[in-house]
Amino acid sequence: MYLGVDIGSSSSKAVILDEGGNIAGQAVINIGTGSRGPQKVIEEALSQAGIERTQIARTVVTGYGRMTFEGADKQITEISCHAKGVSAVAPDARTIIDIGGQDAKVISIDELGNVKNFVMNEKCAAGTGRFLEVMGRVLDTTIDGLSDMAERGVEGVTISSTCTVFAESEMISQLAAGKKIEDVALGAHKSIAQRVAGLVNRIGISPEVVLSGGVALNESVIRALEKELGYDIIRLKSPQTMGALGAAIYAMGLDKNGTEA
Amino acid sequence: MKHINDMIAELVDVANHPVRSVRTAMERTGKKAVGCFPIYTPDELIHAAGAIPVGMWGGPEMGNLSDRYYQTFCCSVVKANTHQALRGDYDFLSAVLVTAYCDTLKCTIENWKVAVPHLNVIPVVYPQNRKLEAGRQFLIEEFQRIRKELEKALETTITDEAIEESFALYEAYRKAMRTFVDVAGRYPGLIDATARHAIIKAACFMDKEEYTDKINALIEALEAVSAEEHGQKKIILTGLLAEPDEFLDLFGENGLVVVADDLAQESRQFRVEAAAEGDALTRMAGRIADQDGCSFLYDDEKSRGAMLIDLKNKYNADGIVYCQLKFCDPEEFDYPIVKREMEEVGIPLLYIEIEQQMDSVEQLRTRIQTFAEIL
């Protein structure tokens, strides 16, 4: 059995593959690096697979917390792992947009799931999951709640600021000006889509386009992005675990010394 | 080997302690010092005036004093220089040459005249059409004006003979540096990316004769030992500069060796050899006319991409890292062109945004590690 662990800034993910490369267990815990999240997510994935830790032949760790995780045979960046994981479930994917808790990445991949090029957001929360969290808080709801609200929005308000803090005060101003809460929520999604589209333009886009990471569970973001980019986006069943899946696939390719077989 | 390590450590120490190094050089030589903003200042004229040119390349502390004069989106090198100037760190300088390549620098000339008048700001303006005869003539006259302003600030006379001698010394220095960057990449165990950068930067804070002697001695010592066999991937750095050390350390950490550079702070300073004909000022203007592939000088051929491809082929490099100093717009405008040209020939290119004052390099670690994984 092979274990892939993806320790992000706000969540931990684990995928276990059997000898045939089939998913035997997978789990997501919404706490990330620096917490007990990684340990708990591994326990959950092991229990789902019905195996003990000792039955894991190789482990690859990825994500923001990869440098401090002990007990892996190798650490590989989340960019390479997302590419590998997405390519396994969506072989036609050539552009991956990965929106995580604190960063956003656009990855251009080849037909084998190898990274051709990539770009990441800079030191700014605009265009990330954190942005939606902050906006949700202004409207007294969760990210999912924000998405539901946006579904009911008709005309999204314009939120022009690239800075999350200023965008937050813009939203408050829009509410104070009497704009409907649903339209403000839709505006927040449009805003994140515009930031991410800017990143996509830095690298160039080629179909198929896939959205991975926790934010990909949010249908309103996907729709806003499709509109902004002018491309359909493939919906994944489990967008959060693509990094961990990629890590597990890499683990399958390692020999007992932790080097590529 | 200990001998080589000592030579390297000495130069790295100079680069890591700029103020101390310059003061030591001033005390030892009895010379005055003149500050030089990035890049291509006519250092030969300062040397000919009997003073030490000091490179002013920002630093690890940006502070907040510069906020009186700059917006948040100005480059950190200029902001750090201004912070240090306002704090009095540069009061030992007799004058400061400030170039005018970008909007931030142009306004810096104006603002420094108001903010730190005692530092004797001397503007340096390069012609847009530097390859035309009129452009060359303009630049020679600009050098003559700077010469007069330096004479006034340093209370001395700069003779034609002194300029010729200084120019010859600088040509020898530049030749030594071209050899050094060629040789250094063969010894990644002795000279990693961080040491390579510091050795080159040390030239900003030392008397040029002494520095050139030390570099030549280091090259000789290196060439006496056989080149290291390494299976590491080779990269080329391009941009204004590649700092801080925490960023450069990531290359070694991920098995990447810097075999060449196209950095304004490094090889662009010395890669052009002057034509043989003419007096020193004509040859100095000629060097600027012949300097291609630099985002700070108008280049109607846009030759940077072609030069990077040549460099990649010459050193058999695996990839290129575009070191983008945050808010450095001349470099930002070049990137899309370079990116397209590298894509056309299939050269892996990594775009990295840096600031000299970076507390955390975690995001950079992910980017550089991914690039190493791609290579």
Side-chain angles (χ1 to χ4, degrees):
Chain A
M1 296 279 202
Y2 303 92
L3 172 64
V5 190
D6 179 2
I7 308 170
S9 61
S10 53
S11 65
S12 307
K13 287 79 66 176
V15 168
I16 294 170
L17 293 179
D18 65 19
E19 301 300 322
N22 305 304
I23 294 175
Q26 63 175 358
V28 178
I29 298 258
N30 284 326
I31 42 174
T33 183
S35 71
R36 268 181 43 79
Q39 199 184 325
K40 281 170 75 174
V41 83
I42 291 170
E43 282 163 14
E44 201 172 313
L46 286 169
S47 115
Q48 223 185 78
I51 58 165
E52 298 290 321
R53 183 78 192 257
T54 49
Q55 288 171 266
I56 298 290
R58 312 267 182 275
T59 302
V60 166
V61 63
T62 186
Y64 188 62
R66 70 187 184 283
M67 306 301 289
T68 49
F69 179 82
E70 288 174 5
D73 298 284
K74 193 170 184 179
Q75 54 96 357
I76 297 174
T77 62
E78 58 270 35
I79 296 168
S80 297
C81 287
H82 268 270
K84 198 56 89 185
V86 167
S87 186
V89 297
D92 294 331
R94 294 295 174 271
T95 305
I96 303 169
I97 301 167
D98 168 37
I99 308 180
Q102 72 169 22
D103 60 23
K105 309 176 186 85
V106 182
I107 310 164
S108 152
I109 64 169
D110 66 16
E111 62 282 1
L112 298 172
N114 297 312
V115 178
K116 280 165 64 187
N117 207 345
F118 66 97
V119 62
M120 286 167 81
N121 67 318
E122 297 303 331
K123 282 186 272 182
C124 175
T128 71
R130 193 76 76 210
F131 177 86
L132 287 177
E133 252 178 58
V134 171
M135 300 312 141
R137 208 170 57 212
V138 174
L139 303 180
D140 193 23
T141 183
T142 59
I143 292 185
D144 291 343
L146 191 70
S147 179
D148 293 343
M149 268 182 201
E151 295 281 313
R152 299 192 298 273
V154 181
E155 204 177 326
V157 302
T158 304
I159 296 168
S160 57
S161 298
T162 50
C163 165
T164 300
V165 174
F166 287 146
E168 184 181 352
S169 57
E170 255 187 77
M171 276 181 71
I172 293 167
S173 309
Q174 298 278 15
L175 290 170
K179 295 281 194 248
K180 282 189 190 155
I181 196 165
E182 291 83 3
D183 288 341
V184 174
L186 183 58
H189 288 85
K190 265 172 65 180
S191 172
I192 194 172
Q194 280 166 354
R195 300 296 151 240
V196 173
L199 270 185
V200 174
N201 285 333
R202 292 288 281 184
I203 201 165
I205 189 164
S206 40
E208 301 287 334
V209 182
V210 169
L211 189 64
S212 69
V215 173
L217 293 167
N218 185 321
E219 185 59 28
S220 296
V221 170
I222 298 186
R223 286 215 198 114
L225 257 175
E226 284 179 327
K227 208 167 164 192
E228 200 64 41
L229 296 172
Y231 282 88
D232 288 336
I233 291 174
I234 297 178
R235 272 89 169 151
L236 300 174
K237 268 190 198 152
S238 179
Q240 275 181 294
T241 55
M242 288 302 107
L245 174 63
I249 295 170
Y250 274 115
M252 283 186 81
L254 295 181
D255 63 21
K256 64 176 190 288
N257 299 318
T259 49
E260 279 171 47
Chain B
M1 211 61 86
K2 183 180 180 301
H3 178 51
I4 296 178
N5 283 327
D6 289 345
M7 293 165 109
I8 293 168
E10 187 187 354
L11 291 170
V12 170
D13 185 58
V14 167
N16 289 341
H17 301 93
V19 174
R20 190 192 72 196
S21 304
V22 174
R23 285 190 180 278
T24 306
M26 289 170 77
E27 280 162 22
R28 197 156 53 220
T29 59
K31 291 180 173 181
K32 292 177 178 174
V34 173
C36 299
F37 261 64
I39 48 178
Y40 311 136
T41 45
D43 293 13
E44 293 92 330
L45 297 180
I46 300 168
H47 186 269
I52 300 171
V54 178
M56 296 173 74
W57 286 93
E61 191 193 350
M62 188 156 66
N64 52 29
L65 296 176
S66 67
D67 290 344
R68 290 182 211 162
Y69 295 94
Y70 298 96
Q71 306 90 331
T72 44
F73 49 80
C74 288
C75 98
S76 53
V77 170
V78 171
K79 289 182 85 173
N81 276 352
T82 303
H83 176 77
Q84 290 157 12
L86 290 168
R87 200 170 55 183
D89 295 8
Y90 292 131
D91 286 354
F92 65 92
L93 297 175
S94 300
V96 176
L97 301 193
V98 186
T99 51
Y101 297 109
C102 62
D103 291 345
T104 306
L105 283 169
K106 276 176 210 157
C107 300
T108 294
I109 295 170
E110 312 280 315
N111 282 358
W112 272 46
K113 282 181 179 170
V114 176
V116 281
H118 60 287
L119 288 181
N120 292 320
V121 170
I122 303 175
V124 181
V125 181
Y126 285 94
Q128 181 91 336
N129 294 301
R130 60 209 156 84
K131 290 178 190 287
L132 299 180
E133 188 47 40
R136 289 173 193 257
Q137 201 52 46
F138 170 89
L139 189 49
I140 291 168
E141 284 174 26
E142 183 70 356
F143 288 152
Q144 292 286 17
R145 179 186 60 77
I146 294 163
R147 175 185 185 172
K148 285 201 186 79
E149 293 203 37
L150 281 171
E151 286 179 332
K152 199 170 142 202
L154 294 163
E155 297 169 324
T156 187
T157 305
I158 304 173
T159 65
D160 289 342
E161 293 74 30
I163 296 175
E164 293 295 334
E165 278 172 29
S166 296
F167 185 71
L169 170 69
Y170 269 77
E171 279 295 278
Y173 149 73
R174 290 188 278 258
K175 186 174 178 219
M177 295 314 292
R178 290 193 291 273
T179 309
F180 172 73
V181 292
D182 195 47
V183 169
R186 292 179 225 153
Y187 302 91
L190 282 166
I191 303 174
D192 61 11
T194 315
R196 180 190 184 277
H197 161 68
I199 291 167
I200 297 169
K201 193 178 180 183
C204 296
F205 315 120
M206 284 174 75
D207 195 43
K208 209 55 93 195
E209 286 98 328
E210 191 191 359
Y211 178 81
T212 307
D213 287 347
K214 285 189 189 295
I215 276 292
N216 279 324
L218 177 59
I219 294 167
E220 201 184 317
L222 284 169
E223 285 182 329
V225 295
S226 34
E228 296 168 16
E229 290 290 332
H230 66 85
Q232 303 187 65
K233 297 289 180 189
K234 298 182 212 163
I235 53 163
I236 293 166
L237 306 182
T238 182
L240 175 72
L241 51 78
E243 289 186 349
D245 285 357
E246 291 77 7
F247 159 57
L248 289 169
D249 288 340
L250 296 172
F251 292 122
E253 213 176 272
N254 288 287
L256 301 171
V257 177
V258 177
V259 287
D261 78 84
D262 164 50
L263 297 168
Q265 195 189 34
E266 300 184 8
S267 284
R268 287 187 206 166
Q269 299 273 342
F270 44 74
R271 69 182 173 204
V272 177
E273 184 181 0
E277 297 82 31
D279 61 16
L281 293 185
T282 306
R283 297 172 75 196
M284 282 164 67
R287 277 194 71 248
I288 297 296
D290 293 341
Q291 176 75 262
D292 285 325
C294 176
S295 53
F296 299 92
L297 297 171
Y298 173 65
D299 181 0
D300 56 1
E301 300 282 329
K302 264 293 167 221
S303 45
R304 184 172 182 181
M307 289 174 74
L308 284 170
I309 293 166
D310 287 347
L311 211 54
K312 187 256 176 213
N313 292 336
K314 182 180 173 188
Y315 290 96
N316 197 21
D318 298 285
I320 295 173
V321 179
Y322 201 100
C323 306
Q324 173 66 54
L325 182 76
K326 211 166 189 145
F327 307 126
C328 176
D329 46 313
E331 281 288 310
E332 279 176 359
F333 285 122
D334 259 16
Y335 173 69
I337 302 167
V338 171
K339 176 177 176 278
R340 196 186 60 215
E341 290 178 339
M342 296 306 113
E343 277 171 357
E344 278 166 7
V345 293
I347 297 177
L349 177 72
L350 173 67
Y351 177 88
I352 289 270
E353 219 176 48
I354 48 170
E355 277 188 297
Q356 288 182 305
Q357 308 80 14
M358 285 195 298
D359 298 328
S360 165
V361 291
E362 280 316 308
Q363 262 219 358
L364 293 188
R365 175 173 280 120
T366 299
R367 287 167 208 227
I368 291 168
Q369 191 183 338
T370 305
F371 192 58
E373 287 166 1
I374 292 174
L375 297 179

Coordinates of all heavy atoms in Angstrom, one line a residue, chain B residues 24-59:
Chain B
T24 N 37.0 50.6 6.1 CA 38.4 50.0 6.1 C 39.2 50.4 4.9 O 40.3 50.8 5.0 CB 38.3 48.5 6.2 OG1 37.4 48.1 7.2 CG2 39.6 47.8 6.3
A25 N 38.5 50.3 3.7 CA 39.2 50.7 2.5 C 39.6 52.2 2.5 O 40.7 52.6 2.0 CB 38.4 50.4 1.3
M26 N 38.7 53.0 3.0 CA 39.0 54.5 3.1 C 40.2 54.7 4.0 O 41.1 55.5 3.7 CB 37.7 55.2 3.6 CG 36.6 55.3 2.6 SD 35.1 55.9 3.3 CE 35.4 57.7 3.4
E27 N 40.2 54.1 5.2 CA 41.3 54.3 6.1 C 42.6 53.8 5.5 O 43.6 54.5 5.7 CB 41.0 53.5 7.4 CG 40.0 54.3 8.3 CD 39.4 53.4 9.4 OE1 40.0 52.3 9.7 OE2 38.3 53.8 9.9
R28 N 42.6 52.7 4.9 CA 43.8 52.1 4.4 C 44.4 52.9 3.3 O 45.6 53.1 3.1 CB 43.6 50.6 3.9 CG 44.9 49.9 3.8 CD 44.7 48.4 3.9 NE 43.7 47.9 3.0 CZ 42.8 46.9 3.3 NH1 42.9 46.4 4.6 NH2 42.0 46.5 2.5
T29 N 43.5 53.5 2.4 CA 44.0 54.2 1.2 C 44.0 55.7 1.4 O 44.6 56.4 0.6 CB 43.1 53.9 0.0 OG1 41.8 54.3 0.3 CG2 43.2 52.4 -0.3
G30 N 43.4 56.2 2.5 CA 43.3 57.6 2.7 C 42.3 58.3 1.7 O 42.3 59.5 1.5
K31 N 41.6 57.5 0.9 CA 40.7 58.0 -0.1 C 39.3 58.4 0.4 O 38.9 57.9 1.4 CB 40.5 57.0 -1.2 CG 41.8 56.7 -2.0 CD 41.5 55.7 -3.1 CE 42.6 55.5 -4.1 NZ 42.3 54.5 -5.1
K32 N 38.7 59.3 -0.3 CA 37.3 59.6 0.0 C 36.4 58.6 -0.8 O 36.9 57.8 -1.6 CB 36.9 61.0 -0.5 CG 37.6 62.1 0.2 CD 37.3 63.5 -0.4 CE 37.9 64.6 0.5 NZ 37.8 65.9 -0.2
A33 N 35.1 58.6 -0.5 CA 34.2 57.6 -1.2 C 33.0 58.3 -1.8 O 32.5 59.3 -1.3 CB 33.7 56.6 -0.2
V34 N 32.6 57.8 -2.9 CA 31.4 58.3 -3.6 C 30.4 57.2 -3.9 O 30.8 56.1 -4.4 CB 31.8 58.9 -5.0 CG1 30.6 59.3 -5.8 CG2 32.7 60.1 -4.8
G35 N 29.1 57.4 -3.5 CA 28.1 56.4 -3.7 C 27.7 56.2 -5.2 O 27.7 57.2 -5.9
C36 N 27.3 55.0 -5.6 CA 26.9 54.8 -6.9 C 25.6 54.0 -6.9 O 25.6 52.8 -6.6 CB 27.9 54.0 -7.7 SG 29.5 54.9 -7.8
F37 N 24.5 54.6 -7.4 CA 23.2 53.9 -7.5 C 23.3 52.9 -8.6 O 24.2 53.0 -9.5 CB 22.1 54.9 -7.8 CG 21.3 55.2 -6.6 CD1 21.9 55.9 -5.5 CD2 19.9 54.9 -6.5 CE1 21.1 56.3 -4.4 CE2 19.2 55.3 -5.4 CZ 19.8 55.9 -4.3
P38 N 22.5 51.8 -8.7 CA 22.5 50.9 -9.8 C 22.1 51.7 -11.0 O 21.1 52.5 -10.9 CB 21.4 49.9 -9.4 CG 21.2 50.0 -8.0 CD 21.5 51.5 -7.6
I39 N 22.6 51.5 -12.2 CA 23.7 50.7 -12.6 C 24.5 51.4 -13.6 O 24.0 52.4 -14.1 CB 23.3 49.3 -13.1 CG1 22.2 49.5 -14.2 CG2 23.0 48.2 -12.1 CD1 21.6 48.3 -14.8
Y40 N 25.7 50.9 -14.0 CA 26.5 51.5 -15.1 C 26.9 53.0 -14.8 O 27.0 53.8 -15.7 CB 25.8 51.5 -16.4 CG 25.2 50.2 -16.9 CD1 23.9 50.1 -17.4 CD2 25.9 49.0 -16.7 CE1 23.4 48.9 -17.8 CE2 25.4 47.8 -17.1 CZ 24.1 47.7 -17.6 OH 23.6 46.5 -18.0
T41 N 27.1 53.3 -13.5 CA 27.7 54.6 -13.2 C 29.1 54.7 -13.7 O 29.8 53.6 -13.7 CB 27.6 54.9 -11.7 OG1 28.1 53.7 -11.0 CG2 26.2 55.2 -11.3
P42 N 29.6 55.8 -14.1 CA 31.0 55.9 -14.6 C 32.0 55.9 -13.5 O 32.6 56.9 -13.1 CB 31.0 57.3 -15.4 CG 29.9 58.1 -14.7 CD 28.9 57.1 -14.2
D43 N 32.2 54.7 -12.9 CA 33.0 54.6 -11.7 C 34.5 54.9 -12.0 O 35.2 55.4 -11.1 CB 33.0 53.1 -11.2 CG 31.6 52.7 -10.7 OD1 30.7 53.4 -10.9 OD2 31.5 51.6 -10.1
E44 N 34.9 54.8 -13.2 CA 36.2 55.2 -13.6 C 36.5 56.6 -13.3 O 37.7 56.9 -12.9 CB 36.4 55.0 -15.1 CG 36.4 53.5 -15.6 CD 35.0 53.1 -16.0 OE1 34.0 53.6 -15.5 OE2 34.9 52.2 -16.9
L45 N 35.5 57.5 -13.4 CA 35.8 58.9 -13.1 C 36.0 59.1 -11.6 O 36.8 60.0 -11.2 CB 34.6 59.8 -13.6 CG 34.3 59.8 -15.1 CD1 33.0 60.6 -15.4 CD2 35.5 60.3 -15.9
I46 N 35.3 58.4 -10.8 CA 35.4 58.5 -9.3 C 36.8 58.0 -9.0 O 37.5 58.6 -8.2 CB 34.3 57.7 -8.6 CG1 32.9 58.2 -9.0 CG2 34.5 57.7 -7.1 CD1 31.8 57.3 -8.6
H47 N 37.2 56.9 -9.6 CA 38.5 56.3 -9.3 C 39.6 57.3 -9.7 O 40.6 57.5 -9.0 CB 38.7 55.0 -10.0 CG 39.9 54.3 -9.7 ND1 41.1 54.5 -10.4 CD2 40.3 53.4 -8.6 CE1 42.1 53.7 -9.8 NE2 41.6 53.1 -8.8
A48 N 39.4 57.9 -10.9 CA 40.4 58.9 -11.4 C 40.5 60.1 -10.5 O 41.5 60.8 -10.5 CB 40.0 59.3 -12.8
A49 N 39.4 60.4 -9.8 CA 39.4 61.5 -8.8 C 40.1 61.1 -7.5 O 40.2 61.9 -6.6 CB 38.0 62.0 -8.6
G50 N 40.6 59.9 -7.4 CA 41.3 59.5 -6.2 C 40.3 59.1 -5.1 O 40.6 59.1 -3.9
A51 N 39.1 58.7 -5.5 CA 38.1 58.3 -4.5 C 37.6 56.8 -4.8 O 37.9 56.3 -5.9 CB 36.9 59.2 -4.5
I52 N 36.9 56.2 -3.8 CA 36.4 54.9 -4.0 C 35.0 54.9 -4.4 O 34.1 55.5 -3.6 CB 36.6 54.1 -2.6 CG1 38.1 54.1 -2.2 CG2 36.0 52.7 -2.8 CD1 38.3 53.5 -0.8
P53 N 34.6 54.3 -5.5 CA 33.2 54.2 -5.8 C 32.5 53.1 -4.9 O 33.1 52.0 -4.8 CB 33.2 53.7 -7.3 CG 34.6 53.7 -7.7 CD 35.5 53.7 -6.5
V54 N 31.4 53.4 -4.4 CA 30.7 52.5 -3.5 C 29.4 52.1 -4.1 O 28.5 53.0 -4.3 CB 30.5 53.1 -2.1 CG1 29.8 52.1 -1.2 CG2 31.8 53.5 -1.5
G55 N 29.1 50.8 -4.3 CA 27.9 50.4 -4.9 C 26.8 50.5 -3.8 O 26.9 50.1 -2.7
M56 N 25.7 51.1 -4.2 CA 24.5 51.3 -3.3 C 23.4 50.4 -3.8 O 22.6 50.8 -4.6 CB 24.1 52.8 -3.2 CG 25.2 53.7 -2.7 SD 24.9 55.4 -2.8 CE 23.6 55.6 -1.5
W57 N 23.3 49.2 -3.2 CA 22.4 48.2 -3.6 C 21.4 47.9 -2.6 O 21.1 46.7 -2.3 CB 23.1 47.0 -4.1 CG 23.8 47.2 -5.4 CD1 25.1 47.6 -5.6 CD2 23.3 46.9 -6.7 NE1 25.4 47.6 -6.9 CE2 24.3 47.2 -7.6 CE3 22.0 46.5 -7.2 CZ2 24.1 47.1 -9.0 CZ3 21.8 46.4 -8.5 CH2 22.8 46.7 -9.4
G58 N 20.8 48.9 -1.9 CA 19.8 48.6 -0.9 C 20.3 47.8 0.3 O 21.4 48.2 0.8
G59 N 19.6 46.8 0.7 CA 20.1 46.1 1.9 C 18.9 45.3 2.5 O 17.8 45.4 2.1

